[in-house]
Amino acid sequence: MTRATAVAHPNIALVKYWGKTDRELNLPATGSLSLTLDIFPTTTTVEVTDDPFDRVVLDGVELSGEESARVRTVLSLVRELAGSEAHAHVTSTNTVPTAAGLASSAAAFAALAKASSVAYGLSLSDAELSRLARRGSGSACRSVFGGLARWNKGTSDDTSIAEPLEWSGEPLSMVVAVISSARKKIGSRAGMNHTVETSPYFEGWVSSNAVLLERASRAVHDADFTSLGEITEMSALRMHASMLGAEPPVRYLTGTSFAMIDAVQELREQGIETYASADAGPNVKILCRSREAALVAERLRERIGDVKMHVANAGPGAYLLDEGERPSEA
């Protein structure tokens, strides 16, 4: 097969990933646990061609140099696996703002891994796809899977992969509060590396987050929503604390972000069980039970005006599209 199209969705880490032990292989300093969403899909088509170079087009704009370097890294790995020297045209469309802390790269590289492997004639397992996606963007290894997934830290390229987790509790949802869709001033990779290099709190973050990962995994196994939610909020705040300790500080959260987190805590006090999370950006994601998601969005919209709310449920893993088929959007 010389052409394939795949769709993947962003995932939001409940137990965070921040910091690497190997930047080339994207090996994390600690494992993580996430929920793949059913909104904001990325659709990527890979076509193997006779051209003497790769072409990468994102949202109608052709990328070059460093902007396309990570895509070319994944393509080179696929070519090596396939025993091919042929180049490819990659066309990708995001439905989520790029570089705004909404996990666009996770969806993009999970879709790229799926589409490129099929276009080059490979038949990779989900574990192999997870490893491949990780080389483009660390968190992409989790978007290969639907629902809850755990990224095992590992010690090598072969062992640092994600795996799906079963959830037997009430269906989970996330309300995504888009405070800003602008491209962030400090990219995730730059902010992450700076935190590792200069924050005196980074080692504490790594050791404490490893403990939270095991606690969260037990909460998933036991279908304990309260424990999972408490850990979700704790992991996010600890991650941002490590960034604020960097020199100079790395700050992604804004005043509105903190106001949203305060509003989530007030909802809990009112008997609506919700928990806040935030990644490398100002936008806040709120974990809740699906039956209360619409109410949570409504209450938060009343409290914090001019913030767009999106309700997301657990979404699918990366999948192929038939020719001419369009991805479904929740």
Side-chain angles (χ1 to χ4, degrees):
M1 187 174 186
T2 59
R3 174 187 172 102
T5 299
V7 177
H9 292 74
N11 71 78
I12 301 301
L14 309 185
V15 177
K16 298 300 186 187
Y17 148 57
W18 193 252
K20 302 172 186 176
T21 58
D22 188 312
R23 295 179 186 178
E24 180 181 354
L25 297 178
N26 282 344
L27 302 184
T30 183
S32 56
L33 191 153
S34 66
L35 177 67
T36 298
L37 308 183
D38 66 348
I39 61 174
F40 299 146
T42 292
T43 304
T44 298
T45 297
V46 176
E47 184 173 8
V48 180
T49 72
D50 294 327
D51 287 359
F53 53 84
D54 295 318
R55 289 185 58 202
V56 182
V57 177
L58 173 62
D59 294 332
V61 177
E62 185 163 357
L63 306 183
S64 60
E66 287 302 312
E67 287 187 303
S68 64
R70 287 193 286 166
V71 174
R72 289 183 276 110
T73 293
V74 172
L75 292 176
S76 295
L77 290 169
V78 171
R79 280 192 282 265
E80 183 178 341
L81 290 171
S84 172
E85 296 182 356
H87 290 84
H89 289 182
V90 178
T91 305
S92 190
T93 303
N94 280 338
T95 57
V96 60
T98 300
L102 291 169
S104 60
S105 63
F109 282 97
L112 176 65
K114 185 76 170 179
S116 61
S117 64
V118 174
Y120 278 90
L122 298 173
S123 180
L124 301 184
S125 67
D126 285 343
E128 291 169 324
L129 285 172
S130 178
R131 183 168 58 245
L132 178 62
R134 190 201 72 237
R135 294 294 297 273
S137 173
S139 57
C141 72
R142 301 186 306 241
S143 278
V144 168
F145 302 97
L148 292 167
R150 171 175 165 148
W151 178 8
N152 296 304
K153 172 186 172 182
T155 57
S156 66
D157 185 40
D158 288 338
T159 58
S160 184
I161 56 176
E163 61 178 333
L165 298 179
E166 292 295 328
W167 173 258
S168 60
E170 285 192 56
L172 301 174
S173 289
M174 279 198 133
V175 176
V176 180
V178 182
I179 292 167
S180 173
S181 59
R183 182 179 286 269
K184 55 201 176 191
K185 294 180 181 179
I186 304 173
S188 296
R189 287 196 168 199
M192 189 180 297
N193 294 339
H194 181 67
T195 302
V196 172
E197 293 163 0
T198 69
S199 176
Y201 306 135
F202 180 72
E203 290 303 322
W205 148 255
V206 169
S207 59
S208 67
N209 204 54
V211 174
L212 291 184
L213 176 61
E214 298 310 318
R215 288 173 56 188
S217 297
R218 287 196 298 271
V220 171
H221 179 271
D222 297 339
D224 184 346
F225 174 76
T226 298
S227 292
L228 183 62
E230 290 172 347
I231 293 164
T232 293
E233 199 163 280
M234 198 181 310
S235 179
L237 293 175
R238 288 181 181 180
M239 179 184 74
H240 284 277
S242 74
M243 299 182 208
L244 292 173
E247 187 177 346
V250 177
R251 179 176 172 179
Y252 291 108
L253 301 178
T254 66
T256 304
S257 305
F258 284 108
M260 184 65 68
I261 293 170
D262 288 342
V264 169
Q265 293 174 343
E266 288 179 10
L267 282 184
R268 283 207 300 275
E269 294 169 359
Q270 297 166 9
I272 303 174
E273 199 173 1
T274 60
Y275 299 91
S277 183
D279 296 295
N283 304 303
V284 178
K285 297 89 175 179
I286 301 97
L287 180 68
C288 59
R289 295 180 175 90
S290 294
R291 59 180 167 83
E292 294 183 319
L295 176 62
V296 169
E298 179 184 349
R299 293 288 180 85
L300 292 176
R301 195 179 291 114
E302 291 172 354
R303 173 68 189 272
I304 311 291
D306 299 324
V307 174
K308 191 169 186 179
M309 302 285 184
H310 300 270
V311 175
N313 300 310
Y319 63 92
L320 289 174
L321 281 184
D322 292 331
E323 197 70 28
E325 186 181 0
R326 296 176 60 86
S328 60
E329 295 186 35

